[in-house]
Amino acid sequence: MKVTRREVLKTVAAASALAAIGVPLTTVVKAADNEPDEWVKSVCRFCGTGCGVMVGIKDGKCVTVKGDPNNHNAGFLCLKGALMPPIVYSKDRVTQPYIRKKGKLEPASWDEAMGLVASKFKAAIKDHGPQSVAYYGSGQALTEETYLASKIWKAGLGSNNVEGNPRLCMASAVGGYVTTFGKDEPCGSYSDIDAATCFFIIGSNMSECHPILFKRVAARKQANPNVKVIVVDPRKTNTARIADEHVSFKPGTDLAILNSMAYVIIQEEMDGQRFHNKYVTFMTNDKKKVDFDAYMKFLEDYTPEKVEELSGVPADQIRRIAIMFAESSGAMSFWCMGLNQRIRGVWANNLVSNLHLLTGQIGKPGATPFSLTGQPNACGGVRDTGGLCHLLPAGRLIKKPEHRAQLEKQWGLEPGTIAPKPGLHTIALWNAFSEAKVKAVFVLCTNPAHSLPNANIYLEGMKRDDNFMVLSEPFMDALTVKYADVLLPAAFWCEKRGTYGCSERRYSLLMKSVEPMGECKSDFDILMDFARRMDVDPKVIPFKTVDDVWNEWREVSSITPYNFMGITRARMEKESGILWPCPTEDHPGTKIRYVRGEDPNIPKDYKNKYHFYGKKDGRAVIWLRPYKGAAEEPDAEYPMVLTTGRVIDHWHTGTMTMKVPELRRSFPKAYVEVNIDDAKKAGIKNGDDVLLETRRDKMVFQAKVSDVCRPGLVFVPWYDVNLLINKLTLNAFDAGSKQPEYKICAIRIKKV
Ligand code: SF4
């Protein structure tokens, strides 16, 4: 059946709402009105769900996409994914290099632009040492690009100032997994959704932020009415609307709720004693091992009655959800920014895993803690390959001499090449850049002017004349372009080849399907050019193609529990995603970690069923993490709480999705969501202009009055560059993960 463009658009507009409640989007997928000559395998450019797509090519141009039926998304895409092609050909594409002269970006040749970049970086290193230069990358860059950049900086330039936007979105999840299990990344996989009988969703609006996964959750519930859904969120989101229990709580008190659930589970004798006796260590905040009795004593501060007072959640509801979780045959937890973007983000992550370890709800189909990732390659590109200031590839740490030595040997470099001190984490890095202590930064595939919290500080810093920022970016209207000293035209998505690794440890190949526009180059080519001009030792960059980088990464991972050796390029071209660890070419990939017979890191003759090999004693940790409030609690002056987040039709800074007319029309402008009771008290009506004011800045938004936010809470989506809510957010960060607390700050509102 041939479908007209008008019909597509009608379908698309309607499907926006449907996607939120998990209605299949095959109509959108079928609706290509431009029959392609060829379909090329790739991955969606947006969220960490990592849906496989097939890119339709006609006359050398990307004309349409459809879901890859062989990838985990089984052919489904949400609207954002289905509407990617027009973004490629946006009039806002950067198609040639620019150099800022007298405040204005002027066209330049590649040689002029890269020559200037190299001279600035060389001068900074000569005058101020290698710690005065930095790389700031992205969970949207390809795995090979991040691996290469990290290697150039750490092994080639002697600087560990390698950071990226995943620090802003996933660092607390990394901290949570590493402290609990000794290794990063989820234990389970998406296929657990099809076996779970209880979904515990906390700090995630999955229906809007990971719609295709939410569709799978909703389908599971629809097919089996006994499947329970618990949603813990101070907003009554679309996700909460399918919940059996929606737990609305005072923002910031979720740590107490999680401890209270553990208290109830033990009181009801629903803990899995055989499991935690054998496989778990109980540990206090100051890393002292304690016994189960000490844990029970610690939890006495979290009786449901005490926590009701603190959190506003009825004690009976805490009991109900704890029992629901413990008695299910398979409990699967999902969380995302609601837990991660917090000053106690690592603790919040630990407390979710505690519930699984306490009940033994782990390592069997349908039972697993599972963090959701915001970006398509934050896991694969940045976490796994070590693209942060304290990491080396495959979970190794810069501060550990044996890890540095191991990697130097694998890279064929002199011992001592890698500097022993971790570099600056994201907030410290941008503070240092704003003070011109870091002199030169290379920003690639991300938009920090829009995404950093408490943005005014950093926008001022980016304006300085005594520091230098080069930006590799596909779009002219990304806010960071306004501040770049050199702008490089980056090839976009289907114009280059490489790998994305999504939330479930699945790596899929994005095949190049069209030639880059204008003078655009892939970030692989840009980084290699930069490294050569910086006179980086050729031994550090022995790569001719992006596939050479992938093959080196496989080798580097092979002596670690990551082990990608079996994920060859030939396999990736044929298959639609493979989950690591995958040690050999005939290995199918690993869906369940830490379980004998499932995880290839556990010897077959190992005598126990579970082995948390990330910990020396093979035991995972249940942490005694106390409740602590937010960095900035509401008070008499600023009596409400501001939280920020995403909407279904826009992705992150909106640079891409605002280019799609259908998506822009559905959410043209950011707004403030106000609870009906709060609105009544303040005399605010739907559509009124409302002044939002925090200790950092103030701004006017149009009100959307509804029952979504609980009283005392307001929500603003952060995609809108013209209403930059990050001027109001807070840059306080978690002491362990260094991830900022975007989710909670004190605010006051009034009708303008
Ligand atoms: S759910 Fe995420 S990865 Fe999948 S199509 Fe939508 S935006 Fe893309």
Side-chain angles (χ1 to χ4, degrees), residues 3-19:
V3 184
T4 66
R5 172 97 180 139
R6 182 178 293 275
E7 280 165 329
V8 176
L9 299 187
K10 258 165 61 186
T11 311
V12 158
S16 178
L18 298 180

mmCIF file of all heavy atoms in Angstrom, residues 3-19:
data_model
loop_
_atom_site.group_PDB
_atom_site.id
_atom_site.type_symbol
_atom_site.label_atom_id
_atom_site.label_comp_id
_atom_site.label_asym_id
_atom_site.label_seq_id
_atom_site.Cartn_x
_atom_site.Cartn_y
_atom_site.Cartn_z
ATOM 1 N N VAL A 3 1.428 5.084 0.864
ATOM 2 C CA VAL A 3 0.830 6.030 1.810
ATOM 3 C C VAL A 3 1.353 7.420 1.492
ATOM 4 O O VAL A 3 2.532 7.613 1.240
ATOM 5 C CB VAL A 3 1.225 5.656 3.258
ATOM 6 C CG1 VAL A 3 0.523 6.565 4.254
ATOM 7 C CG2 VAL A 3 0.886 4.209 3.538
ATOM 8 N N THR A 4 0.453 8.399 1.464
ATOM 9 C CA THR A 4 0.903 9.746 1.109
ATOM 10 C C THR A 4 1.596 10.414 2.286
ATOM 11 O O THR A 4 1.424 10.018 3.426
ATOM 12 C CB THR A 4 -0.295 10.638 0.725
ATOM 13 O OG1 THR A 4 -1.076 10.816 1.890
ATOM 14 C CG2 THR A 4 -1.109 10.038 -0.394
ATOM 15 N N ARG A 5 2.348 11.468 1.975
ATOM 16 C CA ARG A 5 3.069 12.228 3.004
ATOM 17 C C ARG A 5 2.081 12.790 4.044
ATOM 18 O O ARG A 5 2.310 12.747 5.236
ATOM 19 C CB ARG A 5 3.822 13.369 2.308
ATOM 20 C CG ARG A 5 4.466 14.360 3.244
ATOM 21 C CD ARG A 5 5.928 14.033 3.437
ATOM 22 N NE ARG A 5 6.537 14.979 4.337
ATOM 23 C CZ ARG A 5 7.406 14.645 5.270
ATOM 24 N NH1 ARG A 5 7.759 13.405 5.443
ATOM 25 N NH2 ARG A 5 7.938 15.550 6.048
ATOM 26 N N ARG A 6 0.926 13.293 3.517
ATOM 27 C CA ARG A 6 -0.069 13.862 4.422
ATOM 28 C C ARG A 6 -0.546 12.798 5.423
ATOM 29 O O ARG A 6 -0.680 13.064 6.612
ATOM 30 C CB ARG A 6 -1.252 14.385 3.593
ATOM 31 C CG ARG A 6 -2.350 15.054 4.400
ATOM 32 C CD ARG A 6 -3.434 15.575 3.486
ATOM 33 N NE ARG A 6 -2.949 16.662 2.663
ATOM 34 C CZ ARG A 6 -2.916 17.932 3.066
ATOM 35 N NH1 ARG A 6 -3.325 18.253 4.256
ATOM 36 N NH2 ARG A 6 -2.465 18.880 2.277
ATOM 37 N N GLU A 7 -0.759 11.577 4.925
ATOM 38 C CA GLU A 7 -1.210 10.502 5.821
ATOM 39 C C GLU A 7 -0.143 10.164 6.861
ATOM 40 O O GLU A 7 -0.439 9.886 8.006
ATOM 41 C CB GLU A 7 -1.580 9.258 5.012
ATOM 42 C CG GLU A 7 -2.966 9.375 4.402
ATOM 43 C CD GLU A 7 -3.185 8.317 3.318
ATOM 44 O OE1 GLU A 7 -2.219 7.924 2.652
ATOM 45 O OE2 GLU A 7 -4.318 7.901 3.172
ATOM 46 N N VAL A 8 1.115 10.200 6.412
ATOM 47 C CA VAL A 8 2.207 9.937 7.348
ATOM 48 C C VAL A 8 2.140 10.940 8.488
ATOM 49 O O VAL A 8 2.210 10.593 9.654
ATOM 50 C CB VAL A 8 3.589 10.089 6.665
ATOM 51 C CG1 VAL A 8 4.693 9.900 7.684
ATOM 52 C CG2 VAL A 8 3.737 9.114 5.542
ATOM 53 N N LEU A 9 2.000 12.206 8.115
ATOM 54 C CA LEU A 9 2.039 13.256 9.133
ATOM 55 C C LEU A 9 0.867 13.128 10.097
ATOM 56 O O LEU A 9 1.005 13.324 11.293
ATOM 57 C CB LEU A 9 2.049 14.643 8.483
ATOM 58 C CG LEU A 9 3.259 14.895 7.580
ATOM 59 C CD1 LEU A 9 3.295 16.334 7.105
ATOM 60 C CD2 LEU A 9 4.564 14.567 8.298
ATOM 61 N N LYS A 10 -0.296 12.754 9.554
ATOM 62 C CA LYS A 10 -1.457 12.559 10.422
ATOM 63 C C LYS A 10 -1.171 11.430 11.409
ATOM 64 O O LYS A 10 -1.405 11.530 12.603
ATOM 65 C CB LYS A 10 -2.696 12.231 9.583
ATOM 66 C CG LYS A 10 -3.611 13.453 9.441
ATOM 67 C CD LYS A 10 -4.651 13.333 8.359
ATOM 68 C CE LYS A 10 -5.610 12.185 8.554
ATOM 69 N NZ LYS A 10 -6.514 12.040 7.405
ATOM 70 N N THR A 11 -0.613 10.349 10.903
ATOM 71 C CA THR A 11 -0.293 9.198 11.743
ATOM 72 C C THR A 11 0.708 9.601 12.813
ATOM 73 O O THR A 11 0.581 9.272 13.977
ATOM 74 C CB THR A 11 0.340 8.079 10.889
ATOM 75 O OG1 THR A 11 -0.468 7.889 9.771
ATOM 76 C CG2 THR A 11 0.495 6.813 11.680
ATOM 77 N N VAL A 12 1.694 10.354 12.363
ATOM 78 C CA VAL A 12 2.764 10.767 13.251
ATOM 79 C C VAL A 12 2.217 11.606 14.397
ATOM 80 O O VAL A 12 2.551 11.395 15.553
ATOM 81 C CB VAL A 12 3.817 11.545 12.426
ATOM 82 C CG1 VAL A 12 4.650 12.450 13.297
ATOM 83 C CG2 VAL A 12 4.700 10.571 11.690
ATOM 84 N N ALA A 13 1.362 12.561 14.088
ATOM 85 C CA ALA A 13 0.818 13.433 15.126
ATOM 86 C C ALA A 13 0.052 12.612 16.148
ATOM 87 O O ALA A 13 0.195 12.783 17.355
ATOM 88 C CB ALA A 13 -0.091 14.475 14.499
ATOM 89 N N ALA A 14 -0.758 11.682 15.683
ATOM 90 C CA ALA A 14 -1.543 10.864 16.604
ATOM 91 C C ALA A 14 -0.650 9.919 17.387
ATOM 92 O O ALA A 14 -0.875 9.659 18.559
ATOM 93 C CB ALA A 14 -2.572 10.061 15.823
ATOM 94 N N ALA A 15 0.381 9.452 16.744
ATOM 95 C CA ALA A 15 1.209 8.429 17.374
ATOM 96 C C ALA A 15 2.005 8.954 18.550
ATOM 97 O O ALA A 15 2.433 8.199 19.404
ATOM 98 C CB ALA A 15 2.149 7.822 16.337
ATOM 99 N N SER A 16 2.197 10.272 18.610
ATOM 100 C CA SER A 16 2.953 10.847 19.718
ATOM 101 C C SER A 16 2.342 10.423 21.045
ATOM 102 O O SER A 16 3.016 9.938 21.935
ATOM 103 C CB SER A 16 2.933 12.362 19.600
ATOM 104 O OG SER A 16 3.606 12.921 20.673
ATOM 105 N N ALA A 17 1.036 10.603 21.166
ATOM 106 C CA ALA A 17 0.356 10.230 22.398
ATOM 107 C C ALA A 17 0.345 8.711 22.564
ATOM 108 O O ALA A 17 0.538 8.194 23.652
ATOM 109 C CB ALA A 17 -1.063 10.755 22.373
ATOM 110 N N LEU A 18 0.142 8.000 21.452
ATOM 111 C CA LEU A 18 0.059 6.547 21.545
ATOM 112 C C LEU A 18 1.361 5.935 22.031
ATOM 113 O O LEU A 18 1.374 5.005 22.820
ATOM 114 C CB LEU A 18 -0.299 5.951 20.177
ATOM 115 C CG LEU A 18 -1.646 6.381 19.597
ATOM 116 C CD1 LEU A 18 -1.871 5.708 18.252
ATOM 117 C CD2 LEU A 18 -2.778 6.014 20.548
ATOM 118 N N ALA A 19 2.459 6.516 21.562
ATOM 119 C CA ALA A 19 3.761 5.975 21.954
ATOM 120 C C ALA A 19 3.911 6.017 23.462
ATOM 121 O O ALA A 19 4.492 5.126 24.066
ATOM 122 C CB ALA A 19 4.880 6.757 21.289
#
